[in-house]
Amino acid sequence: MAIAERTAGTVSPPSVSVRPGWAGWLSTTDHKRIGIMYLVSAFVFFLIGGIEALLMRIQLGVPDNTFLTPDVYNQMFTMHGTTMIFLGLMPLNVGLGNYIVPLMIGARDMAFPRLNALSIWLFIFGGLMLYVSFFVGGAPNVGWFAYAPLTQKQFAPTAGVDYWIIGIGLTGVASIAGALNFIVTILNMRAPGMTLNRMPLFVWMQLVVAFILIFAFPVLTVATIQLLFDRHFGTRFFLPNLGGDAVLWQHLFWFFGHPEVYILILPTMGIISEVLPTFSRKPIFGYAFVAYSGVAIGFLGFLVWAHHMFAVGLGPLANAFFGAASFLIAVPTGVKIFNWLATMWQGSLNLTTSMLYAIGFISMFIIGGISGITLASPPINVQQTDSYYVVAHMHYVLFGGAIQGIFAGVFYWFPKMTGRMLNERLGKWQFWLMLISFNLTFFPMHLSGNEGMPRRIYTYEAEMGWNLWNLISTIGALLLAVAFLLFLWNVLTSIRRGPIAPADPWDGATLEWAVSSPPPVYNFAVTPRVRSRRPLWDKKYPHLHEANGSHGAPAGRLAGPLDDGFEPETSAAMEPIHLPSPTYAPLIVSVGIMILGFGIIYLGDFGLIAASAMLVGLLIMATGILSWVRISHVDSPYQAH
Amino acid sequence: MSESSMIRPHATTAHHTSLGVDNRKLGVWAFIGSETLFFATLITTYFVFAPVNRARPDFQDPREFLDIELTTVLASILLASSLTMVLALSASKRGDRRWFTTWLLATVGLGLAFIGGQVYEFNHLYHEGLTLSSSLFGTTFFVLTGFHGTHVAIGVIWLLSVFFKVRTYPNSPENAMDVEIAGLYWHFVDLVWVAIFVLVYLI
Ligand code: HEM
Ligand SMILES: [Cu+2]
């Protein structure tokens, strides 16, 4: 705290002045603003995806329902799955990471602030493009995995699939740009003394995720490009009647798709690893195990993709290999769960909303993990595949796990981001309501699934015996919606009238709690020097540091009362702080790329108009790049001196 | 002058970096890692379909179409451009503007020659009856080499923009790093061509 309140006499303003109001957001390059933009836009998409889920659940609430037509139902589950994964969960994680990671490692910004801005705009435009499809002939209706050959022109004649390809493509470029930024920021911009072994676990997990992203997404990109060519330019990659291979699509898709689930879950595992120690008042148990098991999961994640394809008929040998490899992942995952439980063991637990969500995460994730074990076993999988059992498993992991983990993180860091506290009482109501209604919604799906109810059917007959389970699920889903409304209400009211948040409301251990809430634009007036894994605790409780000295600090260099967790670096203090200038260049470039995307979609059907649109897009993009180069030159630290 | 155009990581980088590597260089390395997967996927697809192509009624034999002489020339052109790129970088580190201009423009010229050669090749193949839709070979071949060609074109634009930036701000100490990372990308694209050349044309 002391550091945050010290005046920062050495800050030099950005070379171009910061714009007020909306212009400030449109031209921002500050990782904290970009993080908030990510969080807000992802939450909006998440709500839309939730509405799609509700529509589906209403349709399935009673047998022989005609609320939605089959085609609309197909659009709903495709858009729901796509939205939740690409536009909801993933960017929520990116948003938290963007805001918190630089603060946690003692950096002033991300390594490439303008690239960061490009990333948020491409993400927003990609999401918008996906939703434009509703208004131009129908949304994609082929599932979020877009299995071939259903996606070919003769089966999916509207432009929905094309919008899916381009929308996913834009968010994919955004993700890769973001991942490169995370990798460089985390590897290269840590405060002095923060070795890899002292990095907060949230940062560790974001690093692993960034590596998964840069290796997994190009494969999806190639697959979708091939699909686009099939649909418009006469290639035959996925057309079996012309020699193409529909299973190749599945291989490529799941080579991306399985690691993708770790992209979704690992950051939340990182959140849990921050929240549990703080509210148990104990250091995390087995730091190194938690960190390296994350690396192991990231690595193994690339070896198991075909466990989504047991029913395809790859042969017993392949199935056995991929089944066994999948079981292997249970090992590092189990290690993590054990470490979390051990962290809470004998700690003095402080059951804040954030902590409740963390505990909720662990318990629901365990259920999801257990149902995953049967799925990873080829003989049982063949029974359960494409049944509601899979839907149950998937939601226990993605919702019971990841979404609850995100809530743990949001309740934890909201005070840091807004300077206001969320209402804890409302938060707890929300938690319990959500936990109960979540289980009401998804637990019965295990049963209806095992009783044979296939997924992706728009209705069923009363005699099938699935009525009760479906009705319970639908009621649960409606209650879930109430829980989300509670949260929305809580955020909207707290942001105005919530109690003012101190710099360190939870008695945290990591660096983000050392600066004011919300942090100043330059994050740290003085670069902190880190001596252990819990720099702020060391500063607040020097005796604790001595008692636990073996965690992170090399022997013989234990911090004493005068030599606390982070002392200002005198040489760094003398250097002026450069802040990146605001610029519209990333926004302009993204607009250009989006117009280019529209052109590509219609190139096959309206050649000339589409080609001119592409040209316009390219020109806008070039203009943006030129002004990007100019501003980056003006901004360069060598100029400012 | 020559001093200011040299790389002085610690003196010129306002913030020190944890790994001691320039941020942008690290970023480009990671990007290249990502691109490796991109091309690996395209090349894998090519090989998955090679045997299927052979068994099809519309079989088009790669050996009938691929002109090894032409592509050997193209490959040499790209290899030479890697060499000129190295020379351009070392000239920029020396602060030698004249040779920097020469070698960089030579690299650009060689890159353009390669693209020209590929356009010629594609056109020729088209008239021989090999198209995106004529066979599995056509499908996989054009998409793979076409995307490589696109990468070369992007590389040419990248090099040109570095060239103009260095000309506009001749004394910026960032110049050497600008050249270096553009060079990294360029070498990568060349290397991918070597892989395609060996795997697709020679084998
Ligand atoms: C608001 C609570 C939610 C409800 C009520 C809900 C409901 C459903 C239902 C009924 C389906 C099955 C569609 C079908 O197979 O016919 C489904 C599919 C799916 N859900 Fe959810 N869901 C919710 C939240 C989430 C979340 C948070 C995620 C992930 C981040 C998610 C990801 C998916 C995916 C990937 C599919 C598969 C879509 C497909 O088959 O193409 N859902 N959801
Ligand atoms: Cu999987």
Side-chain angles (χ1 to χ4, degrees):
Chain A
M1 248 178 293
I3 285 197
E5 279 149 22
R6 199 175 297 159
T7 35
T10 47
V11 179
S12 69
S15 340
V16 178
S17 63
V18 179
R19 301 174 178 88
W22 278 103
W25 289 95
L26 295 180
S27 63
T28 189
T29 49
D30 177 8
H31 74 95
K32 297 183 286 300
R33 285 193 161 203
I34 291 172
I36 288 178
M37 286 160 73
Y38 253 116
L39 284 169
V40 171
S41 47
F43 189 69
V44 171
F45 282 123
F46 186 86
L47 289 183
I48 296 173
I51 293 172
E52 285 153 356
L54 277 186
L55 294 177
M56 279 192 285
R57 264 334 313 172
I58 293 173
Q59 164 67 18
L60 294 175
V62 290
D64 300 312
N65 202 354
T66 53
F67 175 65
L68 300 180
T69 64
D71 183 48
V72 171
Y73 188 87
N74 290 350
Q75 296 181 19
M76 284 303 133
F77 75 66
T78 303
M79 288 301 276
H80 165 72
T82 307
T83 303
M84 286 302 187
I85 288 184
F86 292 100
L87 310 179
L89 206 40
M90 218 161 109
L92 282 172
N93 282 328
V94 178
L96 284 175
N98 232 312
Y99 199 104
I100 298 298
V101 163
L103 287 166
M104 273 189 158
I105 61 172
R108 293 226 161 80
D109 204 329
M110 296 285 273
F112 309 114
R114 284 170 287 268
L115 190 65
N116 209 14
L118 180 73
S119 169
I120 178 70
W121 291 118
L122 282 180
F123 159 67
I124 291 179
F125 290 148
L128 289 179
M129 265 189 101
L130 204 60
Y131 272 87
V132 167
S133 64
F134 271 114
F135 307 100
V136 289
N141 51 3
V142 291
W144 82 281
F145 33 72
Y147 278 166
L150 186 60
T151 44
Q152 294 291 345
K153 260 245 138 83
Q154 68 260 43
F155 304 115
T158 68
V161 173
D162 303 313
Y163 277 95
W164 186 85
I165 292 170
I166 300 294
I168 297 296
L170 293 195
T171 61
V173 177
S175 302
I176 289 183
L180 294 174
N181 222 336
F182 274 111
I183 289 175
V184 176
T185 306
I186 296 172
L187 287 182
N188 238 2
M189 295 176 67
R190 283 164 285 140
M194 180 167 288
T195 58
L196 286 179
N197 268 314
R198 291 181 187 159
M199 248 165 32
L201 287 164
F202 179 63
V203 180
W204 256 113
M205 293 307 115
Q206 290 277 354
L207 181 64
V208 174
V209 165
F211 273 106
I212 301 179
L213 265 168
I214 64 167
F215 293 131
F217 253 86
V219 180
L220 177 69
T221 309
V222 169
T224 50
I225 288 174
Q226 291 172 341
L227 176 58
L228 186 82
F229 271 63
D230 271 6
R231 286 175 57 87
H232 292 294
F233 307 123
T235 60
R236 42 172 87 174
F237 289 105
F238 307 122
L239 282 166
N241 53 333
L242 293 175
D245 189 352
V247 178
L248 177 69
W249 170 268
Q250 291 200 29
H251 278 296
L252 297 182
F253 183 85
W254 288 115
F255 188 85
F256 147 81
H258 186 81
E260 169 71 16
V261 307
Y262 298 116
I263 294 172
L264 300 173
I265 198 81
L266 280 173
T268 44
M269 290 181 162
I271 295 172
I272 303 306
S273 307
E274 300 300 329
V275 168
L276 287 173
T278 298
F279 296 117
S280 308
R281 299 172 180 284
K282 271 176 63 192
I284 185 103
F285 182 87
Y287 169 95
F289 280 104
V290 181
Y292 296 130
S293 62
V295 178
I297 290 176
F299 180 74
L300 290 175
F302 281 100
L303 302 182
V304 301
W305 75 90
H307 68 202
H308 296 268
M309 302 162 64
F310 286 146
V312 165
L314 300 177
L317 195 66
N319 283 356
F321 169 80
F322 285 106
S326 307
F327 280 118
L328 222 54
I329 293 195
V331 177
T333 313
V335 166
K336 275 194 157 59
I337 293 179
F338 169 73
N339 282 299
W340 291 325
L341 296 179
T343 303
M344 286 194 284
W345 189 256
Q346 291 191 339
S348 50
L349 301 192
N350 180 6
L351 292 179
T352 58
T353 309
S354 175
M355 182 67 165
L356 288 178
Y357 269 114
I359 298 170
F361 170 100
I362 298 177
S363 38
M364 293 303 109
F365 188 74
I366 289 176
I367 299 183
I370 290 172
S371 60
I373 288 180
T374 67
L375 284 175
S377 155
I380 308 181
N381 176 287
V382 172
Q383 197 64 33
Q384 293 173 332
T385 191
D386 273 334
S387 79
Y388 257 83
Y389 186 89
V390 177
V391 181
H393 158 71
M394 180 171 76
H395 287 86
Y396 267 85
V397 176
L398 293 179
F399 193 128
I403 290 294
Q404 292 210 82
I406 285 180
F407 272 117
V410 167
F411 275 87
Y412 188 56
W413 284 311
F414 186 89
K416 180 53 60 191
M417 297 193 232
T418 60
R420 301 273 182 173
M421 306 295 289
L422 279 172
N423 184 326
E424 278 286 306
R425 219 162 54 94
L426 263 182
K428 284 176 186 161
W429 271 97
Q430 176 204 336
F431 169 76
W432 289 111
L433 182 61
M434 195 178 272
L435 190 72
I436 293 166
S437 56
F438 165 78
N439 281 291
L440 268 185
T441 311
F442 293 107
F443 198 82
M445 292 184 189
H446 291 113
L447 307 171
S448 55
N450 277 346
E451 284 170 16
M453 177 165 167
R455 61 195 283 210
R456 283 177 240 119
I457 49 165
Y458 83 105
T459 192
Y460 50 93
E461 288 159 13
E463 304 85 78
M464 302 304 293
W466 306 324
N467 305 7
L468 180 65
W469 303 141
N470 276 295
L471 187 62
I472 297 176
S473 276
T474 300
I475 294 171
L478 292 170
L479 286 176
L480 260 180
V482 178
F484 274 97
L485 290 181
L486 271 185
F487 173 71
L488 199 59
W489 172 254
N490 196 349
V491 166
L492 293 180
T493 51
S494 299
I495 220 162
R496 304 234 165 107
R497 300 197 293 274
I500 302 284
D504 180 18
W506 314 120
D507 195 10
T510 37
L511 283 180
E512 77 271 29
W513 306 110
V515 296
S516 62
S517 301
V521 272
Y522 46 81
N523 288 359
F524 298 91
V526 176
T527 308
R529 172 176 281 283
V530 177
R531 300 250 151 123
S532 82
R533 282 177 193 152
R534 296 169 300 280
L536 194 60
W537 277 1
D538 297 344
K539 182 175 173 59
K540 290 183 290 194
Y541 316 111
H543 52 284
L544 189 135
H545 184 77
E546 266 153 35
N548 289 314
S550 57
H551 296 276
R557 285 194 51 206
L558 287 188
L562 292 176
D563 183 19
D564 57 37
F566 46 94
E567 81 204 273
E569 251 201 318
T570 34
S571 64
M574 307 319 283
E575 277 177 15
I577 301 173
H578 299 290
L579 295 175
S581 302
T583 166
Y584 293 109
L587 177 57
I588 297 170
V589 172
S590 321
V591 169
I593 295 180
M594 184 177 62
I595 295 175
L596 191 67
F598 276 111
I600 292 175
I601 290 179
Y602 291 106
L603 194 60
D605 300 328
F606 304 97
L608 202 59
I609 305 175
S612 1
M614 286 172 70
L615 197 66
V616 171
L618 279 174
L619 283 178
I620 295 178
M621 195 173 130
T623 321
I625 291 177
L626 278 181
S627 80
W628 184 316
V629 172
R630 235 199 37 246
I631 191 88
S632 68
H633 183 75
V634 170
D635 243 14
S636 104
Y638 328 117
Q639 296 295 309
H641 280 298
Chain B
M1 140 68 217
S2 66
E3 204 188 78
S4 62
S5 59
M6 290 197 307
I7 313 177
R8 292 170 299 154
H10 290 291
T12 55
T13 320
H15 312 282
H16 95 120
T17 63
S18 311
L19 297 185
V21 187
D22 181 90
N23 276 351
R24 289 189 300 156
K25 202 157 145 185
L26 191 60
V28 169
W29 273 113
F31 176 63
I32 286 175
S34 185
E35 289 277 275
T36 306
L37 268 284
F38 183 91
F39 281 108
T41 311
L42 284 174
I43 291 175
T44 307
T45 310
Y46 180 88
F47 278 100
V48 166
F49 283 128
V52 189
N53 174 51
R54 212 169 297 129
R56 296 266 314 160
D58 53 10
F59 172 56
Q60 290 184 306
D61 191 348
R63 280 167 302 186
E64 251 175 52
F65 291 93
L66 299 184
D67 180 355
I68 306 295
E69 279 100 63
L70 173 67
T71 37
T72 310
V73 173
L74 293 184
S76 335
I77 287 179
L78 269 195
L79 284 180
S81 79
S82 257
L83 182 66
T84 54
M85 189 67 229
V86 170
L87 293 171
L89 176 62
S90 90
S92 100
K93 282 189 180 169
R94 286 197 309 274
D96 185 339
R97 275 188 219 169
R98 215 163 56 91
W99 279 108
F100 166 72
T101 307
T102 312
W103 292 127
L104 194 76
L105 290 184
T107 313
V108 168
L110 289 169
L112 287 174
F114 176 86
I115 295 173
Q118 204 176 31
V119 169
Y120 170 81
E121 183 197 23
F122 279 16
N123 189 39
H124 176 72
L125 292 177
Y126 178 78
H127 287 292
E128 300 265 289
L130 186 73
T131 67
L132 272 175
S133 52
S134 63
S135 70
L136 276 177
F137 169 58
T139 286
T140 49
F141 171 81
F142 281 117
V143 172
L144 170 59
T145 53
F147 271 96
H148 179 264
T150 316
H151 276 71
V152 176
I154 292 171
V156 166
I157 295 172
W158 189 339
L159 289 178
L160 279 176
S161 60
V162 167
F163 175 70
F164 284 112
K165 193 176 164 205
V166 170
R167 263 179 49 137
T168 321
Y169 309 109
N171 291 325
S172 164
E174 278 186 345
N175 287 349
M177 184 52 69
D178 284 339
V179 178
E180 191 171 346
I181 59 177
L184 277 178
Y185 175 81
W186 189 259
H187 294 314
F188 167 74
V189 172
D190 289 0
L191 216 68
V192 171
W193 180 256
V194 173
I196 293 177
F197 178 57
V198 172
L199 292 174
V200 174
Y201 288 86
L202 291 190
I203 297 181

